[in-house]
Amino acid sequence: CEPLRGHTGRVNAIAFSAGGTRIVSGSNDKTVQIRDLEGDMPATITCKGHVEDAVSVAFSPDETLIVSGSYNGVVLLWDVTTGAQCGVPLVGHRRGTAQSLAFSPDGGRIVSGYGDGMICIWDTKSGEQIGKALEGHTHWVQAVAFSQDGSLIASGSDDNTVRLWNASSGKQIGEPL
């Protein structure tokens, strides 16, 4: 098996598409690369637009979009087919690295976890932040995920906690785990 080459810097994040036919990677070379594993599109599409290292990536459930986060907190959306940037950068919260990202099951929202312990929820189409940043973690938010029905968000942090959040209200549910 040959390695997939293309980045010129350290690879920080990687994700499979839901169907398993594509992968996306983010790198210290400030690019995001989409690779087709079946040959139905160009072997590699390179997305350029980050001005800092790309440290997090995720596919939308319908495999039409990719979201990527960078060291300076900017979150960008990309068209999977062309590699073109979609919409406006998601920059409502820029005080920390956009360390972790996830799409809601319907693809309508994105959750982003930051190096300063904050969590933001975004509307995928408008690029607007939904509500205020979720506060509770005291250190880097290394992982975020939506529940299968999209009603909950789970977050994990360097503060050694897992927290559950109501995805609609942004309120923390219960005590940290």
Side-chain angles (χ1 to χ4, degrees):
C1 182
E2 289 292 316
L4 301 172
R5 300 197 188 277
H7 285 297
T8 59
R10 180 179 74 193
V11 175
N12 297 310
I14 195 159
F16 271 100
S17 62
T21 60
R22 296 182 179 120
I23 58 172
V24 61
S25 54
S27 171
N28 279 6
D29 65 10
K30 303 178 181 86
T31 68
V32 171
Q33 292 190 346
I34 307 163
R35 292 180 174 89
D36 180 16
L37 303 178
E38 290 194 337
D40 64 339
M41 61 187 268
T44 301
I45 295 175
T46 300
C47 308
K48 296 180 180 178
H50 283 294
V51 296
E52 295 284 342
D53 303 346
V55 296
S56 54
V57 294
F59 271 96
S60 64
D62 66 3
E63 301 184 28
T64 61
L65 294 173
I66 289 168
V67 63
S68 62
S70 68
Y71 190 74
N72 65 351
V74 174
V75 174
L76 299 176
L77 286 166
W78 308 94
D79 179 277
V80 170
T81 305
T82 65
Q85 189 176 323
C86 302
V88 298
L90 311 181
V91 293
H93 180 78
R94 292 184 67 160
R95 293 188 307 242
T97 301
Q99 189 67 25
S100 51
L101 297 164
F103 277 93
S104 61
D106 67 2
R109 294 169 292 163
I110 296 166
V111 62
S112 54
Y114 292 87
D116 65 357
M118 300 291 196
I119 299 166
C120 293
I121 305 169
W122 306 91
D123 180 275
T124 305
K125 289 189 182 184
S126 72
E128 296 292 319
Q129 186 175 328
I130 300 170
K132 294 181 180 182
L134 311 183
E135 297 183 47
H137 287 293
T138 59
H139 213 286
W140 291 68
V141 178
Q142 297 287 358
V144 291
F146 275 96
S147 61
Q148 203 164 16
D149 67 1
S151 67
L152 299 174
I153 293 170
S155 59
S157 169
D158 282 351
D159 65 10
N160 300 329
T161 66
V162 172
R163 295 174 188 260
L164 295 177
W165 310 86
N166 179 303
S168 296
S169 70
K171 301 259 189 237
Q172 186 175 311
I173 298 171
E175 293 297 315
L177 307 173

